[in-house]
Amino acid sequence: GAVVSQHPSRVICKSGTSVKIECRSLDFQATTMFWYRQFPKQSLMLMATSNEGSKATYEQGVEKDKFLINHASLTLSTLTVTSAHPEDSSFYICSARDIYRGTDTQYFGPGTRLTVL
Amino acid sequence: EDQVTQSPEALRLQEGESSSLNCSYTVSGLRGLFWYRQDPGKGPEFLFTLYSAGEEKEKERLKATLTKKESFLHITAPKPEDSATYLCAVQAIPRSGGSNYKLTFGKGTLLTVNP
């Protein structure tokens, strides 16, 4: 149980294009999802908290107009990287908060490797 | 500001050689401490949650313990398949009764177990 999927797993795009990443909780409902990015050999950095039916909360230094987050249902959150540039290349990971199994735990997706040329 | 420091940064063990990983934390009020395992190119895999000092959790060759300032992840008789990066994260009690459930991660310990 507690499975989180992400799609796509890898994406390569040209500079200036937009890329959408989906995060789904497959066997539980998640009112809260989180988006992280991870650079090589570094830990996870929280970008934003996504709440179902309301606006996302962004961490300091994260451009909300560049990283658009939509949490339209209890099992789906999307991250859109708008006008992507090479410096946006990174490993993006989502997590979903499960509060229905007796513990308040974040379960992570497998990640999306974004490469911007 | 919440802080998590993990040590060592990297650890090499021989198969069967037991050891411990450390996670020191500073948080205004601890709601939970989490251990995850991350394999290269993959998302973190949940291992344990600890909520209060003195609590212990076990899973196969892993045992996590918690004090008021740190947590240890003990690995008993490790196998090569235990090789991974182990991440520690804390969740603070939200200030002012808010509902912020975010995790603050340490940089991780890269564990390599040689056969």
Side-chain angles (χ1 to χ4, degrees):
Chain A
V3 179
V4 177
S5 69
Q6 275 184 249
H7 179 78
S9 58
R10 289 180 177 272
V11 57
I12 300 173
C13 68
K14 293 183 179 180
S15 185
T17 61
S18 295
V19 174
K20 179 185 283 189
I21 303 170
E22 291 187 350
C23 176
R24 294 181 185 272
S25 55
L26 299 185
D27 55 353
F28 65 100
Q29 294 182 329
T31 56
T32 308
M33 292 184 173
F34 302 84
W35 287 95
Y36 297 81
R37 65 188 297 182
Q38 186 177 36
F39 292 105
K41 298 189 184 299
Q42 294 190 25
S43 193
L44 284 76
M45 295 298 296
L46 179 66
M47 298 174 65
T49 302
S50 168
N51 294 296
E52 188 267 337
S54 64
K55 290 184 178 180
T57 304
Y58 291 82
E59 294 299 298
Q60 193 171 8
V62 178
E63 299 175 61
K64 61 181 181 181
D65 294 331
K66 180 168 187 62
F67 299 100
L68 300 179
I69 292 172
N70 183 270
H71 193 155
S73 77
L74 288 173
T75 59
L76 173 64
S77 176
T78 60
L79 169 68
T80 300
V81 184
T82 63
S83 187
H85 289 93
E87 57 266 29
D88 298 323
S89 297
S90 188
F91 191 50
Y92 291 87
I93 313 174
C94 72
S95 70
R97 178 176 171 241
D98 183 3
I99 61 173
Y100 298 105
R101 298 170 198 259
T103 62
D104 187 344
T105 299
Q106 286 187 34
Y107 294 93
F108 285 81
T112 296
R113 174 75 58 193
L114 171 64
T115 303
V116 185
L117 302 176
Chain B
E1 184 180 335
D2 305 330
Q3 289 189 330
V4 178
T5 303
Q6 291 188 245
S7 62
E9 290 186 11
L11 180 63
R12 283 187 177 273
L13 300 173
Q14 288 298 123
E15 185 172 1
E17 179 186 2
S18 301
S19 188
S20 296
L21 312 182
N22 177 264
C23 171
S24 297
Y25 64 90
T26 304
V27 64
S28 54
L30 182 68
R31 192 167 183 270
L33 184 141
F34 299 80
W35 281 98
Y36 290 87
R37 168 195 170 126
Q38 186 176 26
D39 293 303
K42 297 188 177 181
E45 174 190 346
F46 171 71
L47 294 174
F48 304 109
T49 309
L50 301 167
Y51 294 102
S52 56
E55 189 175 359
E56 298 183 353
K57 295 265 180 83
E58 284 191 69
K59 179 181 179 181
E60 295 181 352
R61 296 177 292 282
L62 300 177
K63 183 167 95 172
T65 62
L66 180 66
T67 72
K68 289 186 178 180
K69 294 184 177 181
E70 58 191 351
S71 176
F72 291 93
L73 184 64
H74 307 277
I75 303 177
T76 302
K79 298 181 178 182
E81 52 262 42
D82 294 323
S83 298
T85 295
Y86 289 85
L87 297 170
C88 172
V90 296
Q91 186 180 66
I93 295 172
R95 291 189 175 89
S96 304
S99 58
N100 187 349
Y101 301 102
K102 68 178 184 179
L103 298 177
T104 300
F105 279 87
K107 293 184 177 180
T109 293
L110 175 60
L111 174 66
T112 304
V113 182
N114 296 314

